[in-house]
């Protein structure tokens, strides 16, 4: 498989994932922002593949301009998703009280630095932001 075909395949998977998440509950802002983030990544990947397959410099320039504009949307959509994602629920499930699901525990085992960083930031609290 050539790298360009791989870009289009990943973009198709991202679009499908965004649609599935959005269709699950389109009224939830977390679903909408995840779908926007996944779609932005898919459009960006598609444009990278299109740019790599073109020959005409004028067309490449137009695609690159759209590519850069799309790339600028990636951090925006991720930031909005990150703001709405970790909202605490009113009641936690018994699984959340026990420490999460098996995939979450596996991810914590593989990426222990992320769990340590979160517990350190929680332990330090807002006092760390003061410079006095």
């Amino acid at each position: 498989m050539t790298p360009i075909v791989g870009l289009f395949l990943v973009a198709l998977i991202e679009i499908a994932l965004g649609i599935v998440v959005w269709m699950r509950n389109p009224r939830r802002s977390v679903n909408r922002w995840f779908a926007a983030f996944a779609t932005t990544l898919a459009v960006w990947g598609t444009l990278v593949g299109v740019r790599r397959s073109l020959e005409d410099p004028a067309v490449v320039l137009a695609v690159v301009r759209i590519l850069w504009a799309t790339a600028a949307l990636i951090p925006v959509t991720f930031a909005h998703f990150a703001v709405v994602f970790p909202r605490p629920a009113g009641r936690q499930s018994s699984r959340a009280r026990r420490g999460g699901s098996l995939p979450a525990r596996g991810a914590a085992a593989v990426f222990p630095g992320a769990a340590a960083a979160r517990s350190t930031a929680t332990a330090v609290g807002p006092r760390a932001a003061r410079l006095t």
Side-chain angles (χ1 to χ4, degrees):
M1 177 174 15
T2 64
I4 294 174
V5 174
L7 284 170
F8 293 122
L9 182 64
V10 168
L12 183 66
I13 292 169
E14 288 171 350
I15 287 286
L17 182 63
I19 289 172
V20 166
V21 169
W22 180 70
M23 292 296 289
R24 175 97 179 178
N25 189 354
R27 286 177 273 144
R28 289 187 64 201
S29 63
V30 67
N31 292 25
R32 289 192 308 261
W33 280 112
F34 180 81
F37 177 60
T39 302
T40 303
L41 286 175
V43 170
W44 177 75
T46 301
L47 288 172
V48 168
V50 168
R51 184 201 60 82
R52 292 184 66 166
S53 64
L54 293 175
E55 302 276 334
D56 185 22
V59 177
V60 169
L61 179 63
V63 170
V64 166
R65 287 180 177 167
I66 298 169
L67 178 71
W68 279 94
T70 305
L73 292 175
I74 292 171
V76 173
T77 56
F78 179 75
H80 281 286
F81 171 67
V83 166
V84 299
F85 178 67
R87 288 200 179 144
R91 280 183 20 200
Q92 287 186 342
S93 67
S94 61
R95 177 184 290 173
R97 285 191 297 269
R98 286 192 315 259
S101 64
L102 185 60
R105 290 179 190 176
V110 174
F111 304 109
R118 180 172 180 183
S119 64
T120 303
T122 305
V124 171
R127 291 177 292 177
R130 294 186 198 143
L131 298 176
T132 58

